[in-house]
Amino acid sequence: MTCSHEHVTRRGFVNTCLGCGAYVSVALAAGDTFARKAFARQGDGDLVTTEPWARVEQLGDGLWAIISTPWDGATRTVSNGGIIAGRDGVMIIEGFNTVEGGAWAREMARKLTGRAPTHVVLTHLHGDHSNGLSAYLSGNLDERPQIITTDATRKLLAERSSEQQPETKPGETTELPFPIVLPDALVSASGETRIDLGDKVVRLVPRAGHTPSDLTIELESPRLVWTGDLVFHGVFPYYGDAIPSKLSASCKAMISDKSTRYVPGHGAVASFDELMPYIEMLDHVGESAKRAFEAGTPAAAAWQDYEIPTRLGEYYRFRPDIVRYAFEAWERELKGQ
Ligand SMILES: [Zn+2]
C-alpha cells in the first residue's frame, strides 16, 4: 500500500459525482411496498439494531452487515457496508452517503467492538459510498483509520471533485457542504491485498464493471463477500459508470460458491442461489442491448421496449428510466467508447 494524505473540499459534490447515490436517495424517498420488499430482511443474520436509515445484522463472530433502508427518504447511509473486527484491528466497509452516516457507522463499530476503527475500505467512487468518509477523521489524531481504496478509484474521486468545483468570484467565500476525503492508502488493482486483523485475514479483491475500479471485501471463514455495487439485490443496478461486459464477468467470478453469503451494495444480504437470477438478468439485458445495437436501434429508444422476464425475478427501479443507463452503457462499450 502507498500512502499520501489529501483532502479536497468543494461545493457541488452532492450533485452528480454521486452516480447511483443521488439516484437511489432521491427515488427511494417516495419508496413503495415493492422498494421495501427489496430491502427487507432475509437470511440468517441476527438483528443487532434498527434505525430509520439502516439496520445492522450480525453474520458471525466480529462480523456485521450494515443494510441501508432508504425507502422513506432516510438517506443518512443509503449504501450497504459492514464492520469486521479482529483481535488487532477493526475495519469498516464504506463511507456512506453523508457525514452523519459515516459518524453513525463509526459509532456502531465502537459500540459493537469497544474499539475505534483502524481501517476503512471504500469499494468504489460513488457518493452514496464515499460522501461520509470525513467522519472517520474527526477526533483524536491517533485514532484515525487508514482509508483504503484503489489508485484508480482515488483518481476518479479527485477528477470528479475538480470537475465540479464551482466557479467563484474573487473574494467570494465558498460554502462547503462537507469535506471530500481522498483515501490515503491505496491497494493494487492488479492483484488482491490481504489485511491481517489478527484472527481474521481480509482479502481486498480488485474487480471492475460497476465502475472502472471496484473492490470486493472477502473472508474465508465464514465465507462472506461484500460485493460493493457489483451486486444490487432486488434492485435494478445503476449502469451510469458501468463497463457492462466486465460487470457480468466480475459477478460470475465472484458469485461462484454455494456456501458464501453476499452483502450487496444495495438490498438485503443474499445467498448464492438468490443471486443466480441476477447474473442471468445482467446477461439478458446485455443480449437485448446487443441485438438493438446490431439492428441499428439507438439505446435511447431501445431500452423502452425492454422487459425483464418474470423467471429472472423482480427488480425495484429506483428511477423509471434506470434501464436506459444499462442500454447506453452497452452502446458505449459496443462502440468502443
Ligand atoms: Zn455505485
Side-chain angles (χ1 to χ4, degrees):
M1 263 186 267
T2 55
C3 289
S4 62
H5 289 269
E6 188 179 348
H7 294 182
V8 176
T9 48
R10 66 182 171 73
R11 180 166 61 185
F13 190 74
V14 180
N15 297 332
T16 52
C17 174
L18 309 183
C20 49
Y23 302 130
V24 171
S25 307
V26 171
L28 286 178
D32 54 15
T33 47
F34 186 28
R36 286 168 187 272
K37 201 174 132 197
F39 293 84
R41 189 156 171 259
Q42 298 165 15
D44 54 0
D46 293 329
L47 190 62
V48 172
T49 191
T50 305
E51 300 287 354
W53 56 87
R55 64 177 179 269
V56 179
E57 296 177 22
Q58 183 153 21
L59 301 179
D61 185 28
L63 298 166
W64 295 271
I66 294 174
I67 305 297
S68 288
T69 51
W71 54 66
D72 286 334
T75 54
R76 189 174 294 204
T77 48
V78 176
S79 78
N80 289 345
I83 300 164
I84 302 175
R87 198 182 52 230
D88 303 333
V90 175
M91 177 182 285
I92 297 187
I93 298 163
E94 307 291 22
F96 303 97
N97 189 47
T98 64
V99 178
E100 292 75 19
W104 171 75
R106 188 170 84 152
E107 198 42 45
M108 280 309 304
R110 194 184 285 274
K111 241 186 193 162
L112 292 167
T113 70
R115 289 172 285 161
T118 52
H119 302 77
V120 173
V121 179
L122 174 66
T123 60
H124 66 290
L125 80 152
H126 288 150
D128 55 330
H129 300 250
S130 64
N131 288 345
L133 285 175
S134 68
Y136 301 125
L137 302 181
S138 61
N140 292 343
L141 273 179
D142 56 356
E143 284 196 350
R144 289 186 171 186
Q146 277 193 318
I147 300 184
I148 303 165
T149 199
T150 63
D151 189 26
T153 291
R154 187 180 190 280
K155 277 189 183 131
L156 286 166
L157 266 172
E159 265 171 37
R160 292 210 181 171
S161 59
S162 63
E163 273 169 20
Q164 289 166 54
Q165 184 71 44
E167 287 195 19
T168 50
K169 294 178 192 132
E172 184 186 327
T173 53
T174 307
E175 196 185 304
L176 301 163
F178 54 82
I180 303 308
V181 169
L182 295 180
D184 57 6
L186 305 180
V187 295
S188 167
S190 57
E192 71 175 49
T193 299
R194 287 172 178 247
I195 295 181
D196 191 348
L197 296 178
D199 49 344
K200 290 185 185 71
V201 176
V202 182
R203 295 166 57 223
L204 306 184
V205 183
R207 303 186 188 273
H210 174 63
T211 70
S213 178
D214 301 287
L215 264 183
T216 55
I217 294 89
E218 313 200 3
L219 282 174
E220 300 298 336
S221 178
R223 297 183 81 89
L224 273 176
V225 177
W226 276 264
T227 69
D229 280 358
L230 291 166
V231 176
F232 281 56
H233 183 203
V235 181
F236 193 86
Y238 174 64
Y239 276 75
D241 291 305
I243 308 164
S245 64
K246 289 190 179 174
L247 172 63
S248 181
S250 288
C251 285
K252 283 171 189 164
M254 176 176 63
I255 305 163
S256 56
D257 175 69
K258 277 216 164 238
S259 64
T260 299
R261 279 174 297 168
Y262 298 88
V263 182
H266 299 275
V269 176
S271 66
F272 172 93
D273 288 337
E274 284 167 329
L275 293 181
M276 284 302 102
Y278 173 75
I279 292 180
E280 219 182 306
M281 189 273 289
L282 296 179
D283 285 342
H284 191 267
V285 169
E287 283 151 23
S288 304
K290 280 183 217 164
R291 266 199 308 277
F293 182 77
E294 280 155 19
T297 313
W303 74 271
Q304 300 189 53
D305 297 327
Y306 179 70
E307 277 176 34
I308 301 171
T310 318
R311 67 185 164 81
L312 301 182
E314 283 186 295
Y315 297 86
Y316 177 67
R317 298 183 187 206
F318 57 81
R319 47 182 292 159
D321 62 345
I322 190 63
V323 172
R324 178 168 61 86
Y325 291 84
F327 275 66
E328 286 177 349
W330 271 111
E331 188 177 63
R332 277 197 302 277
E333 185 170 341
L334 293 165
K335 281 181 176 170
Q337 291 171 344

